[in-house]
Amino acid sequence: MDEQEFEDVGDIVKLPQANGSTPRTDRDKQVIIKRAAKAYEKYLDALGFDWRNDPNSSNTPMRVAKAFVNDIASGCYNSPPDITAFPADGYDGIIAQCNIPFKSLCSHHHLAFTGVAHVAYIPSTNGKVIGLSKLNRIVEFYARRPQLQEGATKQISEAIDKVCETNRGVAVVIKAQHTCACLRGVKHEGCYMITSKLTGDFMDDDKTRTEFYKFVDMSSK
């Protein structure tokens, strides 16, 4: 896209919430990256950095914009993962995927928080199951955006509930370390935030809930 094409493109539809999603075309992404890079140039100027004359920073605005759109907040700009559900073949036990790598961005300070997600669901005997790696893809999609950890936990739970039709319960636990608490404020390292969202049998049945948390404990050793 040349400079004239860039200038001729109209306003890009804005997300009403930082953790929202609106799939973008490649052209839209290019426009967003170019506009964000120009804005970041002004941001660095306002902070007093002579970045244009620093060989290690001269292309930083474009690098930051590309990283945000293509990696750090890619969930905001891409379509949800394509997930196919299959008959459960009578299986009605817990299906869990633990220690899924989780990398996200705090919407308050735009600093990273990282850790792991443990997710599970219980299909009904006449319900649907999904490929195991799809649980990882769901976590990855909803992790890659600016947000609160609480919101990510809820979004992942709702997504699993939707694709695992007629399930008897969904469980999501996220354990993450927030750099906004390590680099600023109290500046405490080694602290982890743990959030959980339980539905159905995971909430209502003590034995089912205990079994899931045993899975989480086993995977953490």
Side-chain angles (χ1 to χ4, degrees), residues 97 100 130-139:
Q97 182 78 312
I100 301 173
I130 62 174
L132 195 58
S133 67
K134 304 305 183 184
L135 293 172
N136 297 62
R137 293 186 184 279
I138 289 171
V139 170

Side-chain angles (χ1 to χ4, degrees), residues 85 123-124 126-129 160-168:
S124 59
N126 62 343
K128 297 290 184 72
V129 296
I160 295 172
D161 179 63
K162 183 177 180 180
V163 298
C164 299
E165 300 173 18
T166 68
N167 70 79
R168 291 169 37 225

Side-chain angles (χ1 to χ4, degrees), residues 103-106 109-114 177-181 183:
K103 302 177 182 68
S104 194
L105 195 68
C106 167
H109 301 98
H110 279 195
L111 292 172
F113 63 97
T114 62
Q177 188 171 33
H178 291 243
T179 54
C180 59
L183 302 177

Side-chain angles (χ1 to χ4, degrees), residues 27 30 47-48 61 65 85 98 129 158 180 188-189 205-207:
R27 180 182 173 87
Q30 290 178 33
L47 289 174
C98 298
V129 296
E158 291 173 346
C180 59
H188 285 177
E189 295 185 8
D205 189 304
D206 290 343
K207 291 182 178 179

Side-chain angles (χ1 to χ4, degrees), residues 18-149:
N19 67 342
S21 299
T22 297
R24 313 288 185 163
T25 65
D26 289 341
R27 180 182 173 87
D28 283 347
K29 289 179 184 179
Q30 290 178 33
V31 172
I32 291 171
I33 288 171
K34 280 202 168 187
R35 290 179 176 177
K38 286 183 175 295
Y40 204 78
E41 290 177 4
K42 295 180 181 179
Y43 176 70
L44 290 177
D45 288 338
L47 289 174
F49 290 103
D50 187 14
W51 59 273
R52 294 175 183 81
N53 294 312
D54 178 357
N56 292 317
S57 301
S58 59
N59 200 38
T60 290
M62 182 58 70
R63 291 193 190 100
V64 170
K66 284 182 176 179
F68 199 92
V69 173
N70 296 330
D71 297 296
I72 298 170
S74 59
C76 293
Y77 305 105
N78 295 331
S79 299
D82 186 18
I83 296 174
T84 303
F86 306 92
D89 286 342
Y91 181 81
D92 61 355
I94 295 175
I95 297 173
Q97 182 78 312
C98 298
N99 286 335
I100 301 173
F102 186 93
K103 302 177 182 68
S104 194
L105 195 68
C106 167
S107 56
H108 289 165
H109 301 98
H110 279 195
L111 292 172
F113 63 97
T114 62
V116 294
H118 311 281
V119 302
Y121 68 98
I122 305 173
S124 59
T125 54
N126 62 343
K128 297 290 184 72
V129 296
I130 62 174
L132 195 58
S133 67
K134 304 305 183 184
L135 293 172
N136 297 62
R137 293 186 184 279
I138 289 171
V139 170
E140 180 73 4
F141 178 71
Y142 286 102
R144 296 288 182 162
R145 61 194 67 221
Q147 62 192 328
L148 302 182
Q149 184 173 323

